Amino acid sequence: MNTVEKKLQNIKDSLPDTITLVAVSKTKPIATLMEAYTAGQRIFGENKIQEMVEKWEAMPKDIQWHMIGHVQTNKVKYMASFVDLIHAVDSIKLLKEINKQAKKHSRIINCLLQIKIAEEESKFGLSKEEAIALLESEEIKNLANIHIQGLMGMATFTDDQSQIKAEFEKIQTLFKHLKQNNPNLKTLSIGMSGDFKIAIETGSTMVRVGSSIFGSRNQA
Ligand SMILES: *Cc1c(COP(=O)(O)O)cnc(C)c1O
């Protein structure tokens, strides 16, 4: 077994069957992704649209591509024909553009709302109040070509396990609350290489794991 295959297997062995594993392959070459593909992995996450398009063009078509990075409105069109799930949606403006581009391809594009949970100053993500207002807005009901299927969050980059846990609990509580009026919400995308075990204890249904599968990204 090669290293990617071994590491992938180790991660899978530590995940309950109900958790979806997104293999975060940003900055890695196609040959490396193909090692994971050959080992059975079919969901890959990228954070740059151009890079994801290049990999989508070159790789087998039964792969599900997840956009996990911040999305600029003017770039949605490049991925609208194939993207499976957009994790970091944080405005009605972006949702409208995704809806418009999805419609052109007669598709329904799955989206997650990114929630700001980290204490550190981060630019992206909705507050709890903003997420509630967005899901209840009239505007969103007219967007027939998007499907909001859950929430995504990133904890503070810290060794303090209790802080990470507290931040994940914040989004888990919001997720449970929103599900009462939005039974379609099924995905809670929390957990990366350093914190996916805590995320799973805190209700994660989808983890985004990069370096623990593909090795560190020195150049990133
Ligand atoms: C890079 C990235 C990951 C994966 O990070 P690792 O620590 O390498 O597992 C997960 N989520 C997002 C949004 C990322 O940008």
Side-chain angles (χ1 to χ4, degrees):
M1 270 209 260
N2 66 43
T3 320
V4 167
E5 189 177 354
K6 246 186 240 162
K7 286 182 176 168
L8 185 61
Q9 195 54 53
N10 283 342
I11 300 287
K12 283 187 186 165
D13 288 345
S14 59
L15 291 179
D17 289 342
T18 51
I19 308 275
T20 303
L21 171 63
V22 180
V24 175
S25 48
K26 61 191 186 195
T27 78
K28 298 297 174 182
I30 285 167
T32 307
L33 276 66
M34 279 308 296
E35 291 178 31
Y37 179 87
T38 305
Q41 184 63 25
R42 291 295 181 273
I43 305 177
F44 291 85
E46 292 283 333
N47 70 339
K48 295 210 167 67
I49 294 178
Q50 185 57 39
E51 185 176 342
M52 185 171 78
V53 169
E54 284 167 18
K55 288 171 174 173
W56 165 70
E57 283 172 347
M59 291 183 64
K61 292 297 172 281
D62 61 342
I63 291 172
Q64 294 177 22
W65 292 97
H66 287 200
M67 174 42 59
I68 62 169
H70 178 68
V71 176
Q72 284 174 278
T73 314
N74 62 352
K75 292 194 176 155
V76 172
K77 56 178 177 282
Y78 301 117
M79 63 176 169
S81 69
F82 70 92
V83 68
D84 188 71
L85 179 62
I86 302 177
H87 284 239
V89 176
D90 64 356
S91 71
I92 186 77
K93 179 169 166 251
L94 180 57
L95 279 172
K96 283 181 176 169
E97 177 63 14
I98 296 168
N99 186 71
K100 182 177 151 193
Q101 298 300 333
K103 201 170 174 180
K104 285 188 187 166
H105 296 278
S106 306
R107 299 186 67 216
I108 291 174
I109 295 183
N110 299 311
C111 299
L112 304 178
L113 298 181
Q114 181 175 5
I115 308 298
K116 200 184 288 190
I117 54 172
E119 229 163 67
E120 66 195 355
E121 202 47 55
S122 70
K123 277 178 288 179
F124 305 119
L126 299 163
S127 68
K128 175 186 164 193
E129 292 75 21
E130 288 168 334
I132 293 171
L134 201 155
L135 281 173
E136 285 174 358
S137 69
E138 279 306 312
E139 280 176 301
I140 220 169
K141 299 191 176 103
N142 300 323
L143 305 180
N145 292 75
I146 55 151
H147 171 56
I148 298 179
Q149 70 169 52
L151 304 180
M152 177 270 209
M154 284 171 91
T156 302
F157 187 73
T158 173
D159 288 333
D160 183 347
Q161 310 278 303
S162 64
Q163 182 179 349
I164 295 172
K165 180 130 187 124
E167 292 177 357
F168 284 157
E169 279 168 355
K170 261 194 263 179
I171 195 170
Q172 182 189 31
T173 303
L174 177 61
F175 183 60
K176 283 184 184 162
H177 172 74
L178 292 173
K179 265 165 71 156
Q180 293 169 3
N181 287 330
N182 303 273
N184 286 338
L185 298 180
K186 57 172 187 178
T187 303
L188 183 56
S189 169
I190 51 173
M192 326 200 321
S193 292
D195 57 22
F196 74 84
K197 294 202 172 81
I198 305 174
I200 289 165
E201 290 166 15
T202 324
S204 173
T205 70
M206 183 178 278
V207 294
R208 310 176 308 270
V209 179
S211 46
S212 290
I213 298 170
F214 297 111
S216 61
R217 297 173 299 270
N218 329 331
Q219 74 276 46

